[in-house]
Amino acid sequence: MPNTTLNYYNQHAQTFNDSTLNVDMSALYREFLPYVAQNGHVLDAGCGSARDAAYFKSQGFSVSAFDASPALAKLASNYLQQPVAVKTFQELECINKYDGIWCCASLLHVPKVELPQVFLNLQSALKPNGVLYVSFKYGTQEREHNGRKFTDLNEQLLSDLINQHTQLRIIKHWQSVDQRPERENEVWLNALLTHSKAKL
């Protein structure tokens, strides 16, 4: 994560936490969870408030979580009632560990040039029949907004990235609007991915 972005989250951790904790993500859970093995191990990668990790935990899944921001990780750990690691996507180093990996509004802070390696890290961490959820703000640019750096993707850019650099394949992708109040004009690209040889 770029230093400016990390500084933003460390300085605004409580405000960000409060603004995202109660957002209704049920429509996305309904897309993701049917692909995750029952009582499987889910990683909330770039977990922010740990809102989603807490939901998965309440549904009987084993949950791990990390965030690059120490301030957010501390708040998330308190909310989740378990340790939340301070880690970046670039530091994710495990093999065949997770039945599901949830990257909700987190990969969008990875510089575009680093995304191929990050997707390879996620691919390695995923079990052969596991599922990966990702979301990006919809677009084609790398940009800075309100003190944070973003990498925006559309369907074609995501497909090119996955097909050229990984053994993942896209199960489906779709667009959605932001669920936060007064953010309804923001469009998100969502996608579910799995290993190219995985059986669904």
Side-chain angles (χ1 to χ4, degrees):
M1 182 184 290
N3 285 337
T4 53
T5 306
L6 188 56
N7 290 340
Y8 173 92
Y9 283 112
N10 283 329
Q11 291 167 11
H12 300 91
Q14 191 66 59
T15 303
F16 177 80
N17 183 83
D18 295 348
S19 70
T20 57
L21 196 56
N22 296 311
V23 177
D24 180 9
M25 305 299 284
S26 56
L28 297 179
Y29 300 152
R30 285 195 297 270
E31 297 284 356
F32 173 69
L33 290 178
Y35 290 98
V36 182
Q38 189 173 8
N39 302 320
H41 193 177
V42 177
L43 173 65
D44 191 346
C47 67
S49 65
R51 168 199 63 210
D52 303 326
Y55 178 80
F56 301 146
K57 192 174 179 178
S58 77
Q59 299 301 301
F61 294 95
S62 174
V63 169
S64 297
F66 72 77
D67 200 275
S69 162
L72 273 177
K74 184 177 180 181
L75 291 171
S77 179
N78 290 337
Y79 183 69
L80 192 57
Q81 295 294 295
Q82 69 181 62
V84 170
V86 177
K87 185 187 295 186
T88 65
F89 284 101
Q90 291 85 342
E91 295 167 329
L92 179 63
E93 295 179 348
C94 53
I95 297 174
N96 293 352
K97 187 170 184 179
Y98 302 107
D99 298 287
I101 303 179
W102 177 263
C103 304
C104 183
S106 52
L107 285 171
L108 48 69
H109 293 310
V110 176
K112 192 173 183 180
V113 69
E114 296 178 28
L115 277 173
Q117 183 59 52
V118 163
F119 269 107
L120 287 173
N121 292 354
L122 291 164
Q123 173 183 294
S124 295
L126 203 61
K127 289 181 181 179
N129 285 297
V131 64
L132 168 65
Y133 167 78
V134 303
S135 63
F136 292 85
K137 289 186 185 255
Y138 196 86
T140 59
Q141 297 178 296
E142 286 190 274
R143 59 191 172 84
E144 187 166 337
H145 180 68
N146 287 347
R148 292 175 290 172
K149 293 185 177 180
F150 292 89
T151 300
D152 299 341
L153 294 183
N154 60 17
E155 294 91 346
Q156 190 61 55
L157 288 173
L158 178 62
S159 294
D160 290 347
L161 184 67
I162 296 305
N163 294 334
Q164 291 171 21
H165 299 287
T166 77
Q167 293 177 300
L168 296 167
R169 65 182 170 90
I170 297 173
I171 302 170
K172 68 177 292 188
H173 53 61
W174 70 100
Q175 295 177 28
S176 61
V177 296
D178 203 301
Q179 294 299 305
R180 288 169 291 179
E182 300 175 8
R183 303 286 284 271
E184 297 89 349
N185 62 333
E186 295 187 20
V187 178
W188 290 82
L189 173 67
N190 308 271
L192 295 172
L193 304 93
T194 190
H195 286 278
S196 57
K197 296 178 182 177
K199 297 176 182 177
L200 295 177

